[in-house]
């Protein structure tokens, strides 16, 4: 027998398995908006693998990676697409700047999708990232 | 607890002389609690013969893991359904789409059936499984959603100091590596942890599984790895593929025992579900299970 943290709901387990299998950078947050996983592609973007950092509270991951507004100010937790997806159970999209582990900054677009499996509401969200396309075209 | 297997086959009934020893009926397991009450796990075609065995004025609880046909097909032929003195409670996964009764009635209704649920003479009720533990007789029941195609539950049944876990349709290795994954990220882990007996999906041999990834079932090594990770004391491999005749299942059983021993377990604690088999489930003193393999 192994010690374990609280069992994750099945929908988060399946979401993590999906994110593990794709090359689009992506985060997975739980119902408290805590970062519970990000995939290898996100790790490459951020400069650190998830295995190196582990679970992070919303305050921890926003202070580590951002995001920041165009004027350089941190985006408030309440304004994050992640927060809106988890809180409101609605998808959200935003453009902002993130900071990688080596201090480099990158402008990205992010889309957050709530994960809803019961009437009790969202049990988390998946957040996908793309480099921001200034041409206005849809990013690949 | 005493367990009797009335159907161990998956997908579709597989009758025939080459299937005689393991049986051709689909999923159905009867649990007799220490208090003498009965719980029926799934209503595959095995439940028909189980029903012939029940005494007068039966009060039965049927726990459905999900509504795929191989888990409900026997309901319409369950003799107590046609007895006015029978009291039947059917528990199953909730759905926002329709009630459990309405979903089961898609099968027990025209044109698939000559009778409708409302015409059954028994007293039948349908209950969504609750999100928290509940009691049936002397047993505490808990269920959780597990990884299969469509909404599917596994059940954990604790009677006194004995715990049985029933996960007949399960693909915990889909999209992940079971041996390396953290426990909280393994489908069904918390449900099955430290069970005295785990009844688990083993539909495929290892060389068959790659052709069936995503079908919701497990290959043999994944079944054993899951059992090993959760620390199951004893493992009953279940939900045999309808193409697997007795000789094939004998070979699969031998391979499973060898693999279990390689994982550090007692090969005698891995069994193959066989129609008609009766098992007494008792608490097994630690550290009989494999820990952290």
């Amino acid at each position: 027998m192994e010690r374990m943290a609280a069992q994750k709901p099945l929908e988060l387990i399946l979401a993590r398995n999906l994110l593990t299998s794709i090359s689009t950078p992506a985060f997975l947050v739980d119902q408290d908006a805590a970062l519970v996983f990000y995939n290898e592609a996100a790790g490459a973007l951020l400069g650190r693998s998830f295995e190196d950092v582990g679970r992070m509270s919303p305050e921890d991951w926003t202070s580590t990676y951002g995001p920041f507004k165009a004027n350089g100010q941190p985006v408030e937790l309440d304004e994050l697409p992640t927060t809106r997806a988890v809180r409101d159970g609605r998808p959200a999209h935003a453009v902002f700047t993130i900071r990688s582990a080596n201090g480099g900054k990158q402008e990205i677009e992010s889309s957050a999708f709530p994960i809803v499996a019961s009437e009790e509401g969202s049990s988390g969200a998946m957040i996908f990232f793309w480099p921001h396309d200034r041409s206005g075209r849809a990013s690949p | 607890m005493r367990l009797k297997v009335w159907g161990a086959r998956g997908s579709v009934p597989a009758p025939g002389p080459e299937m005689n020893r393991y049986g051709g009926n689909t999923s159905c397991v009867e649990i007799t609690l220490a208090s003498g009450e009965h719980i029926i796990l799934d209503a595959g075609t095995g439940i028909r013969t189980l029903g012939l065995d029940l005494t007068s004025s039966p009060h039965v609880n049927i726990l459905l893991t999900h509504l795929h046909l191989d888990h409900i097909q026997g309901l319409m032929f369950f003799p107590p359904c046609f007895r006015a003195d029978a009291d039947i409670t059917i528990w199953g996964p909730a759905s926002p789409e329709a009630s459990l009764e309405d979903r089961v009635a898609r099968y027990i209704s025209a044109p698939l059936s000559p009778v409708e649920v409302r015409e059954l003479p028994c007293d039948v009720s349908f209950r969504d499984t609750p999100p928290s533990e509940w009691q049936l007789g002397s047993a505490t029941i808990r269920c959780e959603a597990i990884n299969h195609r469509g909404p599917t539950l596994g059940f954990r049944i604790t009677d006194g100091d004995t715990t049985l876990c029933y996960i007949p349709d399960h693909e915990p290795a889909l999209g992940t590596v079971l041996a390396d994954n953290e426990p909280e990220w393994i489908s069904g882990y918390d449900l099955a942890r430290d069970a005295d007996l785990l009844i688990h999906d083993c539909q495929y041999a290892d060389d068959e599984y790659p052709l069936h990834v995503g079908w919701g079932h497990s290959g043999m090594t994944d079944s054993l790895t899951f059992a090993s990770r959760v620390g199951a004391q004893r493992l009953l491999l279940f939900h045999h593929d309808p193409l697997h005749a007795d000789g094939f299942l004998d070979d699969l059983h031998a391979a499973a025992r060898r693999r279990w021993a390689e994982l550090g377990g007692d090969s005698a604690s891995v069994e193959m579900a066989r129609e008609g088999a009766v098992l007494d489930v008792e608490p097994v003193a630690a550290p009989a299970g494999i820990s952290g393999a």
Side-chain angles (χ1 to χ4, degrees), chain A residues 1-14 16-18 20-21 28 36-37 50-51 119-120, chain B residues 144-147 174-176 181-191 193-194 229-231 290-292:
Chain A
M1 271 296 298
E2 302 168 76
R3 290 184 181 278
M4 63 177 285
Q7 174 90 55
K8 300 291 187 289
L10 179 65
E11 60 274 19
L12 285 196
I13 292 175
L14 296 176
R16 175 179 157 144
N17 292 356
L18 170 66
T20 303
S21 309
L28 180 64
V36 292
F37 180 71
F50 180 75
E51 288 69 29
E119 293 174 353
E120 293 167 16
Chain B
E144 279 178 15
I146 52 88
N147 188 17
L174 181 62
T176 190
N181 217 350
E182 304 95 323
E184 67 266 31
W185 290 103
I186 297 175
S187 164
Y189 185 98
D190 197 35
L191 197 67
R193 65 190 303 191
D194 215 16
R229 291 296 305 271
V230 303
I290 307 174
S291 178

Side-chain angles (χ1 to χ4, degrees), chain B residues 112-123:
Chain B
L112 301 179
S113 159
V115 296
E116 308 279 330
V117 170
R118 64 177 177 276
E119 295 175 313
L120 296 174
C122 67
D123 183 2

Side-chain angles (χ1 to χ4, degrees), chain B residues 43 162 172-173 218 238 240 267 288:
Chain B
T162 307
S218 289
F238 195 79
H240 309 314
S267 63

Side-chain angles (χ1 to χ4, degrees), chain B residues 20 38 44 48 51 54 59 70 78-79 93-94 106 116 153 167 189 193 206 215 232 253 261 266 269 290-292:
Chain B
N20 273 349
H38 298 267
R48 186 186 67 82
L54 290 177
H59 174 91
D70 53 329
F78 184 45
R106 289 175 188 163
E116 308 279 330
L153 303 172
I167 315 181
Y189 185 98
R193 65 190 303 191
D206 286 344
W215 289 33
H253 187 199
D266 172 7
S269 61
I290 307 174
S291 178

